[in-house]
Amino acid sequence: MKLTKSIVILCCTVMCALSFTSCEQESVTAVYGLGISQFNSGGSGAFSDLSNVEAYLNSKGCPTSGESRIWYCTDANYEKCDKQAAAYFQNLVKNLSREEVSSLVSEECSFTYSISRLADSSDPESETIYPAKWQYPTE
């Protein structure tokens, strides 16, 4: 009887300990896209401006196409992922220069390079969230 009681107490203690230590925190995985989210240019130089902007961004390590423009984040919630995405983005754009861009494009050119995710990844029509942006000519 004493042995049974001891085993029951031991089992209860182990179960309590496991219930406290095995609490798994839920997490989310957010998928972000990097790219030009807005572009304006006038006249016949629009295609040239877009080509020059894309080439400039890519040369500075800021992808505009392909798989390299996709970035994933897994964290406790979307807010934390958005903060990580903004920090990642700021590191990417730190070497961009509006002065350098101005020498490559026409005066009418303006664009926004950003990192974005869909608010609801299962619905392509959902709101787009922009944790960070870099705008030319000014922010």
Side-chain angles (χ1 to χ4, degrees):
M1 184 78 153
K2 249 184 171 180
L3 181 61
T4 305
K5 223 181 211 182
S6 295
I7 291 175
V8 169
I9 291 173
L10 179 63
C11 287
C12 287
T13 304
V14 169
M15 293 301 286
C16 286
L18 287 176
S19 68
F20 288 119
T21 60
S22 69
C23 293
E24 289 186 32
Q25 185 176 357
E26 289 186 34
S27 64
V28 297
T29 298
V31 181
Y32 294 87
L34 294 155
I36 299 170
S37 56
Q38 176 271 330
F39 180 84
N40 290 311
S41 184
S44 60
F47 182 74
S48 175
D49 283 348
L50 180 59
S51 294
N52 289 342
V53 166
E54 287 178 334
Y56 175 77
L57 290 170
N58 290 323
S59 75
K60 295 293 186 173
C62 299
T64 59
S65 62
E67 287 191 34
S68 61
R69 66 180 292 274
I70 305 300
W71 188 76
Y72 299 91
C73 174
T74 301
D75 209 324
N77 55 49
Y78 287 111
E79 184 178 292
K80 288 184 178 186
C81 284
D82 287 349
K83 285 181 183 178
Q84 285 187 44
Y88 171 76
F89 183 81
Q90 292 307 321
N91 189 51
L92 278 180
V93 301
K94 68 183 177 192
N95 295 321
L96 297 183
S97 163
R98 288 177 182 78
E99 292 77 26
E100 289 177 347
V101 173
S102 70
S103 69
L104 302 171
V105 298
S106 66
E107 284 186 29
E108 300 86 25
C109 183
S110 66
F111 68 93
T112 302
Y113 182 71
S114 60
I115 188 166
S116 63
R117 72 168 172 84
L118 291 177
D120 179 358
S121 60
S122 65
D123 179 9
E125 299 296 318
S126 73
E127 177 186 356
T128 302
I129 308 297
Y130 295 95
K133 298 177 181 181
W134 189 89
Q135 297 176 312
Y136 175 84
T138 59
E139 290 190 67

